[in-house]
Amino acid sequence: MTKKVKVTNLQKSFGDLHVLRGIDLEIAEGEVVCLIGPSGSGKSTVLRCLNRLEDPTDGVIEMNGHIMTDPKVKLNKARENIGMVFQQFNLFANKTVKGNIMFAPVELKKMTKAEAEEKAMQLLRRVGLEEKANAYPHQLSGGQQQRVAIARALAMQPDIMLFDEPTSALDPEMVGEVLNVMKELAEQGMTMLVVTHEMGFARDVADRVIFMADGYIVEQGTPQEIFGNPQNPRTQEFLNCVL
């Protein structure tokens, strides 16, 4: 299997605070991996280091054949194939939904305006928001905005999608609509790394679940192994609290 992500000895400190203490991680093409664990365990920092929104203190990160930790790497080029969806939707308030999705492909000269518009409409159909193409972000619910954010990330035709707690800022009744879009992506073979508190999603959709605590990977396995028969006391304790 092609490895989309290979992380070796990833460390990250903020001053005296060691957030990541030697993370080793591989993700194969088409694999869906969910990162779970208590707040402050370093899950989001792993994601932010992968596409270099944070600079690792040590370690090697390879994404799609690019060595992200190489000082000579052309970051913007390397990032073009990595889609990222955050807790906050970060949509451009002054652009329509369609305009938000068209922006990067046109700006980076990946598509003509006409191609980008066609792609945007196709993606809006895919996330069930075709009728909102000309609306502005403030006219949408949180769940709709997050679905637009996913469509916007997909517009660059990424090889891998990183999701950082994409439902944590949503009202409970809107969580399902975003998770459904993510489930469909997984079914279509998208390589995904998802930091999530949604244990049901991790159980149903992940190929592999990784439990992190205190900057370490404590345990990993299939959803059946992690949820059904966790081996590590720290994992057991966490799951007893959240399930």
Side-chain angles (χ1 to χ4, degrees):
M1 295 271 305
T2 316
K3 290 281 181 269
K4 282 292 181 190
V5 179
K6 186 167 190 223
V7 176
T8 312
N9 190 32
L10 174 61
Q11 308 202 27
K12 176 63 183 171
S13 300
F14 296 97
D16 294 336
L17 180 66
H18 294 296
V19 181
L20 299 177
R21 300 168 177 270
I23 299 291
D24 294 318
L25 171 67
E26 290 191 359
I27 301 175
E29 186 164 356
E31 194 178 15
V32 178
V33 176
C34 282
L35 275 183
I36 65 170
S39 295
S41 56
K43 306 181 299 295
S44 294
T45 307
V46 169
L47 234 53
R48 294 175 68 81
C49 286
L50 286 184
N51 68 358
R52 290 285 308 281
L53 291 173
E54 295 287 357
D55 288 327
T57 310
D58 200 0
V60 178
I61 296 170
E62 194 176 333
M63 300 272 285
N64 273 335
H66 295 277
I67 308 289
M68 302 297 282
T69 38
D70 180 346
K72 296 193 284 292
V73 71
K74 293 187 168 55
L75 263 186
N76 288 343
K77 190 82 194 130
R79 282 190 185 128
E80 282 179 9
N81 294 27
I82 306 167
M84 180 106 187
V85 179
F86 300 89
Q87 298 176 22
Q88 302 304 337
F89 327 120
N90 300 338
L91 297 174
F92 298 115
N94 60 340
K95 290 190 188 308
T96 62
V97 162
K98 187 168 68 179
N100 265 281
I101 298 170
M102 290 170 60
F103 180 73
V106 171
E107 190 72 5
L108 295 168
K109 307 206 171 10
K110 287 268 180 186
M111 297 178 195
T112 64
K113 238 180 167 145
E115 288 167 342
E117 182 162 12
E118 191 180 326
K119 182 77 182 162
M121 292 311 294
Q122 197 185 333
L123 288 167
L124 284 171
R125 278 195 290 281
R126 194 165 163 186
V127 299
L129 287 172
E130 199 179 359
E131 77 291 351
K132 298 289 186 190
N134 296 313
Y136 285 86
H138 70 90
Q139 298 170 310
L140 305 180
S141 71
Q144 290 170 330
Q145 289 190 54
Q146 193 59 296
R147 279 148 61 197
V148 173
I150 293 173
R152 181 178 63 176
L154 291 172
M156 289 297 290
Q157 296 166 314
D159 293 322
I160 177 166
M161 288 282 281
L162 306 176
F163 291 91
D164 188 8
E165 298 193 16
T167 57
S168 65
L170 299 178
D171 294 334
E173 69 270 21
M174 292 171 186
V175 168
E177 62 189 66
V178 173
L179 293 181
N180 284 340
V181 170
M182 292 168 64
K183 274 183 189 154
E184 278 172 25
L185 279 180
E187 282 159 11
Q188 289 156 359
M190 176 63 78
T191 310
M192 290 162 56
L193 179 59
V194 184
V195 171
T196 187
H197 288 302
E198 301 290 339
M199 297 301 143
F201 176 82
R203 183 184 268 153
D204 295 347
V205 180
D207 297 302
R208 185 155 45 107
V209 177
I210 296 177
F211 173 70
M212 279 186 70
D214 310 316
Y216 295 100
I217 289 179
V218 175
E219 189 169 351
Q220 56 181 309
T222 63
Q224 291 77 2
E225 289 164 345
I226 296 296
F227 292 112
N229 188 21
Q231 300 299 304
N232 189 289
R234 189 78 183 77
T235 317
Q236 293 164 0
E237 182 193 340
F238 173 76
L239 292 173
N240 284 339
C241 293
V242 298
L243 290 179

